[in-house]
Amino acid sequence: QVQLVESGGGLVQAGGSLRLSCTASGRTFSSYAMGWFRQAPGKERDFVAAIRWTGLGTTLYADSVKGRFTISRDRAKNTVYLQMNSLKPEDTAVYYCATGGLLTARNTGYDYWGQGTQVTVSS
């Protein structure tokens, strides 16, 4: 059992920045990767970014956020961050963190999910 808690969402103007955090607790020994996904109203849940928890910390990014978002890890705190810069209205969504045994962009590769945090970007 793994528990994930996201924080840092809010309301910002286009061009602004937010930093999301996700802290894991419980039995995290099987966590190989941590990722961020987002879901807008009426849309499917989409991949945003992921990072390997061990080793070199290899990262993956969706094309839509590459160059604007940065994923990072703090292993001592069991925390993953998503720094979001140059935000656009199309980034508005509920953002979820997840952990699983594979470094993948597929949501089916993740076993545990947080409750989500709302990000709203105004025009």
Side-chain angles (χ1 to χ4, degrees):
Q1 183 79 4
V2 178
Q3 296 82 44
L4 301 172
V5 179
E6 303 100 329
S7 63
L11 173 64
V12 297
Q13 291 183 302
S17 299
L18 281 175
R19 186 195 188 204
L20 306 183
S21 299
C22 175
T23 299
S25 61
R27 299 179 181 179
T28 60
F29 59 88
S30 62
S31 297
Y32 182 81
M34 297 186 73
W36 288 96
F37 293 77
R38 64 188 183 186
Q39 188 166 23
K43 302 287 187 177
E44 296 182 351
R45 188 169 297 185
D46 292 327
F47 171 76
V48 177
I51 187 168
R52 184 181 177 187
W53 194 243
T54 60
L56 298 176
T58 304
T59 58
L60 296 173
Y61 292 96
D63 289 341
S64 60
V65 306
K66 208 165 191 175
R68 299 189 297 122
F69 292 9
T70 303
I71 189 169
S72 61
R73 63 183 181 180
D74 186 336
R75 294 175 63 181
K77 296 182 177 180
N78 289 320
T79 298
V80 64
Y81 303 96
L82 185 68
Q83 179 66 46
M84 305 186 294
N85 298 325
S86 302
L87 284 162
K88 305 174 181 180
E90 64 200 66
D91 296 318
T92 296
V94 177
Y95 283 69
Y96 299 90
C97 70
T99 186
L102 297 171
L103 183 66
T104 178
R106 300 176 182 177
N107 55 18
T108 54
Y110 295 84
D111 302 312
Y112 299 97
W113 296 80
Q115 83 288 349
T117 185
Q118 177 71 46
V119 172
T120 303
V121 184
S122 62
S123 301

